[in-house]
Amino acid sequence: MSQLSVVFKRELASYFATPLAYVFIVIFLVLAGSFAFFFGGFFQNGQADLKAFFNYHPWLYLFLVPALSMRLWAEERKSGTLELLMTLPISLRDMVLGKYLAAWVFTGIALFLTFPMWFTVNYLGDPDNGVILGSYVGSWFMAGAMLAVGSCISACTKNQVIAFILTVVVCFLMMVSGMDIVMGWVPGWMADWVMESIAALSFLTHFNAFAKGVLDLRDIVYFCIMIVGWLMATAIVIDMKKAS
């Protein structure tokens, strides 16, 4: 069994060893359903689709994903088990990847449990299942990118509350970077490529492409780069803590 597999299984099992996993899943399912049915006008729209359901995913993730990621490293540092982990014959890469993949798979399980809604809209009408599938894929990628951000910030502090708040702030900024409320503050003298680069950082811009049923390679590459980049930053931070 590889070291990565050992870390992954240990981390994934740890979620279900405490009420955390069940609380997270219940809150996610209740909020996702409530927003879709009561605030998203699911019944009033008169259309059998999950557009209202996925519209609220970014904002749900904005608070639920940091709540999940804040414990990834901050808890290890606070309890002193990080030093113990460093003494084990496990590479830093396997530790970072194993803990991250466990959290990402866990969010995937929570997302998978919303599948009854997909069956419901198919029962009620004739939705575009390609759009729904694309939305699920985009939603999972976006959760993965936010988890990678949270992993890096969690590695920077022993305090889980600080890790949560900072992750919410950073993810919020990366979500709205393509919106008018941010672009309106960008000085007009800036070159177009700078403004386009800022807008391109937005999670929402790339998620919305998935939500339209468009599986563009550029959006997949964007999320992959975000995940890999933030995980590399996590490894660098952990390595610096180890050295100090």
Side-chain angles (χ1 to χ4, degrees):
M1 187 180 295
S2 68
Q3 296 172 337
L4 173 61
S5 176
V6 171
V7 176
F8 170 78
K9 290 182 178 179
R10 169 186 173 273
E11 282 296 316
L12 189 59
S14 71
Y15 286 111
F16 293 97
T18 67
L20 174 67
Y22 307 100
V23 171
F24 179 92
I25 289 173
V26 169
I27 291 177
F28 176 72
L29 294 178
V30 170
L31 290 180
S34 299
F35 282 135
F37 287 114
F38 299 110
F39 300 105
F42 179 83
F43 295 109
Q44 291 81 359
N45 292 337
Q47 292 183 342
D49 60 34
L50 291 180
K51 184 178 179 182
F53 172 67
F54 286 108
N55 279 344
Y56 290 100
H57 274 210
W59 308 107
L60 281 177
Y61 288 152
L62 184 60
F63 294 98
L64 293 180
V65 169
L68 196 64
S69 66
M70 68 182 185
R71 62 177 290 276
L72 283 177
W73 295 102
E75 188 178 48
E76 301 278 10
R77 291 190 60 198
K78 185 178 180 181
S79 62
T81 54
L82 181 59
E83 289 76 10
L84 177 62
L85 278 176
M86 293 298 179
T87 63
L88 299 176
I90 302 174
S91 67
L92 182 58
R93 183 200 64 180
D94 289 343
M95 273 195 288
V96 173
L97 270 180
K99 290 171 80 68
Y100 168 77
L101 288 176
W104 197 17
V105 167
F106 176 72
T107 58
I109 293 172
L111 192 59
F112 176 80
L113 292 176
T114 65
F115 262 54
M117 297 191 70
W118 191 351
F119 298 143
T120 300
V121 294
N122 273 277
Y123 177 77
L124 294 174
D126 185 24
D128 188 334
N129 287 311
V131 172
I132 296 176
L133 177 61
S135 299
Y136 268 108
V137 173
S139 180
W140 194 46
F141 268 113
M142 183 171 57
M146 289 186 178
L147 274 173
V149 173
S151 174
C152 181
I153 294 176
S154 177
C156 295
T157 176
K158 295 179 180 178
N159 191 311
Q160 294 190 38
V161 176
I162 293 175
F164 173 81
I165 294 172
L166 289 178
T167 304
V168 170
V169 171
V170 173
C171 287
F172 175 75
L173 292 175
M174 297 198 69
M175 281 177 59
V176 301
S177 61
M179 291 185 172
D180 292 339
I181 58 173
V182 173
M183 301 309 293
W185 287 90
V186 179
W189 49 264
M190 279 197 173
D192 290 342
W193 68 269
V194 175
M195 300 184 73
E196 290 172 359
S197 298
I198 294 173
L201 289 174
S202 172
F203 287 151
L204 282 179
T205 301
H206 297 277
F207 171 68
N208 288 337
F210 280 100
K212 293 175 183 175
V214 179
L215 290 179
D216 193 322
L217 183 61
R218 289 172 295 183
D219 298 315
I220 297 173
V221 169
Y222 162 80
F223 281 119
C224 290
I225 289 175
M226 293 297 296
I227 291 170
V228 172
W230 282 100
L231 289 184
M232 288 179 67
T234 302
I236 291 171
V237 171
I238 296 295
D239 198 41
M240 289 173 63
K241 299 294 181 184
K242 177 183 176 182
S244 63

